[in-house]
Amino acid sequence: MTRKALTAVAALCVAALACGCASKTDTASSTGGDKGGSDQFVIGYSQSNNAEPYRQQLNKQLQYYVKQHKNLKLLPITDAKQDNATQVSQVQSFIQQKVDLLIVSPNEPAPLTPPVEQACKAGIPVIVLDRTVNTDCYTAFIGGDNYQIGKKAGEAAVKALPDGGNVAELRGVLSAQPQIDRDKGFRDAIAGHGIKIVESREAKWTRPNAIQVMNQWLARGTKIDLVYAHNDDMAIGAYGAAAGAGKADSMKFIGIDGLAIPDGGIRAVQQGHLLTTFVYPTGAKEAAEAAYALSQHQKVTKKQTLGTVEITQANAAQVYDEFDMSSKTG
């Protein structure tokens, strides 16, 4: 080959390498997206179901607290709508985008375990928020003690029914760990107190499902003294169904979440619709603080268990004011 030909081939190789580098840069820019600059720490958050008021508040609070750190950037929060396949796909999309941090609130533990492990193996820190997965390959878990909250709800039921009675239980998604723990804690607390769970159904955390289930129980004439719902949305739905049938005054209603929002559990206690509820912290502030710490290459606590507060008519107004974030989150 002549010297001129060799020179031409070398030039073509240099051009090809340049194109390859440009292509790689463009791809990183479009997938990691909107990362902006190298100083931004990009967070992807996969939410299990935006239809639940608790999760709506979690989203708003996380957005607010992340904005308090200028170097953090939260990508649009994805909504799995209680569909495992959808959430797995959304998590994998964040992994492909090479986010700096993945936050996941799993719809169910088993289906979300492989993608969480995938993120872990890809070197992406993972914060599991509120609901667990079946692996310890994550950076931090932040959530409440659902067994203890369920136990406190059971203790409130024992106090409300000193002579025993019939309880109807509205459960969340049956395979979700919070549901399992809230059920077990409640049952352990009422054992030996003459209280019988006469009805127990999955209502998937939502008010419409709770209304439907409660109406079915009322229609068949089940004697119910107290309704224990695994969240306030279901408890309020059950109260509404009972009130519509003219039977709410003969029952008591207990929920969990204690959200400081106009149609949440704290207001329902103030209105006398719920006997009591328990604050289940969103963990949004703690997640944002952990994200910032990770962005600064600092270690974070592997497991953060958040406390609770029992809401009664005596403290409802005070607790509402303490947790009200409407002026910050809108």
Side-chain angles (χ1 to χ4, degrees):
M1 186 178 290
T2 66
R3 179 175 295 180
K4 183 182 289 187
L6 285 169
T7 302
V9 170
L12 285 171
C13 289
V14 169
L17 285 170
C19 290
C21 291
S23 175
K24 184 176 181 180
T25 302
D26 291 343
T27 301
S29 214
S30 62
T31 56
D34 312 312
K35 283 191 176 186
S38 59
D39 58 332
Q40 284 195 311
F41 191 79
V42 179
I43 305 166
Y45 177 35
S46 172
Q47 180 60 276
S48 60
N49 181 30
N50 286 348
E52 301 168 37
Y54 172 84
R55 305 206 165 275
Q56 294 168 8
Q57 287 303 301
L58 197 168
N59 292 352
K60 289 181 180 180
Q61 291 178 21
L62 185 63
Q63 289 165 341
Y64 169 79
Y65 286 118
V66 164
K67 286 179 182 177
Q68 306 314 301
H69 303 283
K70 292 184 179 179
N71 70 315
L72 302 184
K73 178 175 181 178
L74 180 63
L75 296 178
I77 296 171
T78 58
D79 177 13
K81 300 180 181 180
Q82 288 191 341
D83 184 83
N84 294 323
T86 297
Q87 189 168 31
V88 168
S89 175
Q90 290 167 345
V91 170
Q92 289 174 336
S93 176
F94 282 135
I95 295 170
Q96 290 169 1
Q97 292 178 60
K98 298 180 180 179
V99 294
D100 296 306
L101 171 67
L102 174 66
I103 303 177
V104 184
S105 291
N107 182 53
E108 295 181 87
L112 270 297
T113 296
V116 165
E117 290 181 329
Q118 182 182 348
C120 177
K121 291 173 183 176
I124 298 173
V126 180
I127 294 176
V128 180
L129 190 54
D130 170 47
R131 297 177 180 174
T132 58
V133 286
N134 301 331
T135 179
D136 61 358
C137 193
Y138 56 79
T139 308
F141 169 82
I142 301 171
D145 189 330
N146 286 289
Y147 175 82
Q148 286 300 324
I149 290 177
K151 189 175 180 181
K152 287 180 179 294
E155 291 167 354
V158 169
K159 187 176 179 180
L161 303 173
D163 299 320
N166 292 345
V167 170
E169 181 184 23
L170 287 164
R171 304 169 74 165
V173 174
L174 291 182
S175 59
Q177 197 62 44
Q179 181 284 138
I180 295 169
D181 292 342
R182 291 177 188 185
D183 170 70
K184 187 177 189 316
F186 185 84
R187 289 173 185 261
D188 285 352
I190 65 172
H193 291 279
I195 297 173
K196 182 179 180 182
I197 297 179
V198 294
E199 299 281 8
S200 182
R201 284 272 299 279
E202 179 186 59
K204 297 183 180 292
W205 308 111
T206 68
R207 191 175 305 193
N209 285 339
I211 292 171
Q212 182 181 12
V213 172
M214 188 67 185
N215 280 330
Q216 291 171 357
W217 290 340
L218 293 168
R220 65 174 174 243
T222 302
K223 174 69 168 65
I224 297 172
D225 299 304
L226 184 146
V227 175
Y228 166 50
H230 290 190
N231 72 357
D232 289 338
D233 207 35
M234 294 189 293
I236 293 168
Y239 170 84
K247 297 181 179 180
D249 292 343
S250 64
M251 302 178 191
K252 296 177 175 65
F253 300 83
I254 294 176
I256 295 171
D257 279 349
L259 296 175
I261 57 176
D263 61 346
I266 298 178
R267 286 288 189 238
V269 171
Q270 287 180 297
Q271 294 161 353
H273 298 170
L274 299 188
L275 171 67
T276 187
T277 185
F278 298 84
V279 172
Y280 187 68
T282 65
K285 182 177 182 180
E286 291 79 6
E289 289 174 349
Y292 179 71
L294 290 168
S295 77
Q296 302 303 301
H297 309 289
Q298 299 171 1
K299 290 184 178 180
V300 297
T301 303
K302 179 79 171 181
K303 184 175 182 180
Q304 294 187 54
T305 302
L306 309 178
T308 187
V309 178
E310 181 175 1
I311 308 300
T312 64
Q313 289 207 346
N315 68 356
Q318 175 189 340
V319 177
Y320 190 99
D321 290 342
E322 180 184 347
F323 287 95
D324 182 16
M325 291 191 64
S326 58
S327 62
K328 298 176 181 178
T329 62

